[in-house]
Amino acid sequence: MPITRKEEEVLNEHFLINSYVEGFTVSQADLCLLKQFTSLPSQDLINLQRWHRHIASFTEEKFIFPDSKSNNLSIIQNGIKVQIMVNTSEENVAIDGNDFKVVEDDVVDPWNVQAASNKGIDYDKLIDRFGSSRIDEALLERFEKLTGQKPHHFLRRGIFFSHRDMHRVLNLVEAGKKFFLYTGRGPSSEAMHVGHLIPFIMTKWLQDVFDVPLVIQLTDDEKYLWKDLKLEQCNKLAYENAKDIIAVGFDRNKTFIFSDIDFVGGAFYKNVLMVQKHVTFNQVKGIFGFDESSNIGKIMFPAIQAVPSFSSSFPFIFGGKKDVPCLIPCAIDQDPYFRMTRDVAPRLGFQKPALIHSTFFPALQGASSKMSASDENSSIFLTDTANQIKKKINKYAFSGGRDTIEEHREKGGDCEVDVSYMYLQFFMEDDDKLENIHQQYSSGQMLTGELKAELIKILQKLIGDHQERRKNVTDNDIKEYMSPRPLNFIESK
Ligand code: TRP
């Protein structure tokens, strides 16, 4: 049915504060709505006009718009409803005949992560929306068979929960071929917190078990373009953060760390240019939500984050080989960059990078609140003292325990919302011990204070050890890790 004037007014209101049907990012829902217009929207409704012009301007890029978050979407204002997508699958109609409110969904992109519920992001939905695959038992079994090692607990516990093309990487390993690892960090503050370590810990494990080269990109350029920071400051932070990264313990003969500001040029920049030529403004608008008022550095930046996925960007490591496959461990919010990368790669004659995605590390205040480097009480920092760790956990870690001891003993604690328990899942390596705690806490035998004491012990050790290793990182170490050099890359036949 064509859109009525009343409905147009509702949409005009919506587009006053939202760029797209689903808020900040374009999706298939915008296409659905566009198709409902049989003529141009009324001239006087300027927000609706702007949206219509924008969506209609996309050509073939339309097909790579991400799926919408829900297939039963409507926009409601003052009791008037515009149906945008109607779910035809019986299953969902049966569950819920009501309307979805768009804003109640999780938000996940490289700059915003906001969960709708205090249990955190709905990762199953995210896999559907992003079109990636779940890391399942079968994949874990293959890992184990090929490496002869029990998969890391991040993999076993679903902390790394999603992947793209991991089977292809394992096929290569099976055939005796090598791949390389790529990960990175945006250095926006000196204060790294334990959550920032997750991808690096995973990456180190992968480097150890597969014995492969690793490149680590420090996007000081990205932080300069996005944050209110001086260029020199971002560059300096890259080198500060490099110390923490080196302290994770990467193999010094197999790891190259670089600051974009200092490294981009030569073969790397040639690949950047090729990506730039093959991605349009409309595409990055669709993927990242840029608009006409975004600074032009942001618009080109995704090309810089894309090209470390291609082995020819590092001729000193791979001797000019174009086809060494790449595996990227990262938090799932970085996926948009690599969706773009995977989209252009074949057009440039490169391999698509494979990915494994992690869930987000929850803030102390709970999985639905934001963790921020500027709020020192929202997380545990790598610079915290043993005493600060203890105080913060005891004071701020959101508890799934009950209000009184009696009630707790009777009903038990709720591990699903308890932040200390969530942190134990990240950092307590012993499966049996963790299982035991789960059982005792949820049955009420274990109290919140006791649970927190377990976590405090583990974090004090983890961070104490990290600080010790970081203290021992010398200027010479930094020079070595950050100098372009061969990394003993030998492709076995
Ligand atoms: N953009 C990332 C950040 O802000 C940094 C980054 C660059 C990255 N390349 C990466 C992260 C590859 C993971 C994988 O933190």
Side-chain angles (χ1 to χ4, degrees):
M1 271 223 296
I3 304 269
T4 63
R5 168 75 197 188
K6 275 252 163 316
E7 288 173 331
E8 278 193 340
E9 284 167 8
V10 168
L11 293 169
N12 193 52
E13 277 290 298
H14 176 82
F15 290 122
L16 173 65
I17 48 166
N18 295 282
S19 307
Y20 301 103
V21 169
E22 294 185 282
F24 179 61
T25 45
V26 74
S27 72
Q28 292 295 329
D30 292 287
L31 281 189
C32 265
L33 180 59
L34 186 76
K35 286 192 199 130
Q36 294 183 48
F37 281 88
T38 47
S39 57
L40 290 175
S42 308
Q43 285 287 330
D44 58 323
L45 303 176
I46 51 171
N47 307 310
L48 180 58
Q49 281 268 342
R50 171 178 43 75
W51 168 86
H52 189 278
R53 233 180 300 119
H54 176 47
I55 301 301
S57 74
F58 287 91
T59 51
E60 75 258 36
E61 294 94 348
K62 280 176 187 152
F63 302 109
I64 65 161
F65 283 1
D67 285 341
S68 53
K69 297 168 198 168
S70 157
N71 45 8
N72 183 3
L73 270 183
S74 48
I75 292 173
I76 309 167
Q77 306 262 355
N78 307 325
I80 301 172
K81 179 169 104 178
V82 184
Q83 190 76 40
I84 295 178
M85 294 179 109
V86 183
N87 187 354
T88 47
S89 97
E90 275 176 37
E91 196 190 328
N92 284 314
V93 172
I95 294 170
D96 194 350
N98 295 331
D99 320 304
F100 280 67
K101 262 268 167 50
V102 193
V103 285
E104 281 166 8
D105 242 321
D106 299 336
V107 178
V108 177
D109 64 52
W111 307 283
N112 304 285
V113 175
Q114 184 76 61
S117 128
N118 67 349
K119 296 197 172 136
I121 304 283
D122 183 335
Y123 291 106
D124 283 321
K125 259 200 212 156
L126 216 53
I127 285 180
D128 287 345
R129 242 169 79 196
F130 284 9
S132 58
S133 313
R134 182 161 271 288
I135 294 182
D136 56 10
E137 266 321 302
L139 185 62
L140 294 184
E141 269 168 32
R142 271 197 91 185
F143 252 105
E144 181 150 2
K145 216 171 119 213
L146 276 169
T147 64
Q149 304 224 18
K150 194 162 147 190
H152 192 271
H153 68 273
F154 287 174
L155 290 164
R156 299 197 310 268
R157 294 183 194 156
I159 287 169
F160 276 77
F161 70 107
S162 148
H163 76 99
R164 294 184 189 277
D165 268 352
M166 195 59 216
H167 281 291
R168 181 168 50 96
V169 172
L170 295 182
N171 289 345
L172 285 164
V173 173
E174 215 159 33
K177 290 248 175 351
K178 288 268 173 209
F179 63 95
F180 73 103
L181 289 159
Y182 158 40
T183 192
R185 151 138 185 103
S188 58
S189 91
E190 210 158 312
M192 284 175 68
H193 53 65
V194 280
H196 291 135
L197 286 183
I198 306 303
F200 291 112
I201 295 173
M202 185 76 262
T203 304
K204 173 175 159 46
W205 185 83
L206 290 165
Q207 182 179 49
D208 290 346
V209 300
F210 290 107
D211 188 31
V212 288
L214 158 67
V215 296
I216 301 179
Q217 177 178 49
L218 301 172
T219 53
D220 39 12
D221 50 350
E222 175 190 21
K223 294 300 141 175
Y224 171 66
L225 293 166
W226 262 270
K227 304 252 161 173
D228 186 19
L229 292 169
K230 295 244 161 44
L231 194 46
E232 285 317 316
Q233 221 174 338
C234 297
N235 189 225
K236 188 176 154 272
L237 288 171
Y239 287 82
E240 278 308 308
N241 288 179
K243 286 188 202 161
D244 283 295
I245 293 169
I246 291 169
V248 172
F250 295 106
D251 182 342
R252 76 168 61 228
N253 297 314
K254 285 198 153 43
T255 304
F256 172 53
I257 306 177
F258 60 98
S259 128
D260 282 343
I261 292 176
D262 293 319
F263 174 69
V264 173
F268 189 99
Y269 188 55
K270 284 185 193 165
N271 284 345
V272 169
L273 285 167
M274 292 210 281
V275 171
Q276 289 177 347
K277 189 163 174 170
H278 290 81
V279 179
T280 64
F281 180 39
N282 269 341
Q283 274 172 304
V284 289
K285 257 200 296 207
I287 301 172
F288 300 99
F290 301 148
D291 60 31
E292 282 73 5
S293 59
S294 305
N295 73 54
I296 60 174
K298 287 186 183 179
I299 293 161
M300 73 71 93
F301 175 76
I304 306 246
Q305 183 154 333
V307 309
S309 318
F310 309 139
S311 59
S312 60
S313 305
F314 307 100
F316 46 88
I317 303 175
F318 302 105
K321 274 185 82 113
K322 264 177 74 160
D323 59 351
V324 185
C326 173
L327 169 63
I328 307 171
C330 62
I332 186 109
D333 63 326
Q334 297 297 306
D335 190 65
Y337 284 115
F338 303 118
R339 282 205 294 270
M340 184 199 86
T341 308
R342 287 168 55 86
D343 181 64
V344 290
R347 284 186 274 142
L348 303 177
F350 295 138
Q351 301 225 14
K352 294 181 180 190
L355 291 129
I356 53 171
H357 301 119
S358 74
T359 60
F360 303 110
F361 192 74
L364 281 173
Q365 286 73 9
S368 63
S369 71
K370 262 192 212 165
M371 195 161 54
S372 116
S374 51
D375 176 0
E376 58 180 50
N377 293 325
S378 71
S379 187
I380 304 293
F381 288 87
L382 300 180
T383 46
D384 284 350
T385 63
N387 204 26
Q388 278 172 315
I389 294 172
K390 182 171 167 195
K391 277 200 186 140
K392 277 194 200 176
I393 302 281
N394 281 332
K395 183 158 179 199
Y396 299 108
F398 184 82
S399 167
R402 306 288 168 176
D403 292 343
T404 63
I405 293 194
E406 295 73 44
E407 199 192 342
H408 188 87
R409 294 275 186 230
E410 188 194 324
K411 297 184 181 151
D414 183 355
C415 287
E416 271 202 71
V417 299
D418 194 290
V419 171
S420 303
Y421 181 77
M422 291 180 200
Y423 281 22
L424 282 177
Q425 286 182 308
F426 280 86
F427 297 116
M428 178 173 263
E429 288 178 25
D430 187 334
D431 288 336
D432 294 337
K433 200 161 175 206
L434 184 68
E435 175 55 36
N436 200 20
I437 289 177
H438 186 284
Q439 197 272 326
Q440 296 209 0
Y441 190 60
S442 42
S443 69
Q445 269 168 284
M446 185 181 229
L447 298 174
T448 297
E450 295 163 323
L451 175 76
K452 287 190 170 185
E454 290 287 345
L455 175 64
I456 290 165
K457 240 188 340 197
I458 287 181
L459 284 181
Q460 284 175 337
K461 169 143 179 34
L462 180 97
I463 289 181
D465 290 352
H466 180 86
Q467 289 170 355
E468 195 55 36
R469 287 192 305 267
R470 190 188 197 273
K471 211 172 61 198
N472 293 325
V473 174
T474 63
D475 287 348
N476 230 2
D477 291 329
I478 296 179
K479 231 188 239 153
E480 194 179 335
Y481 276 96
M482 299 187 71
S483 78
R485 64 206 193 283
L487 299 178
N488 305 323
F489 180 76
I490 306 154
E491 178 83 281
S492 47
K493 283 277 151 311

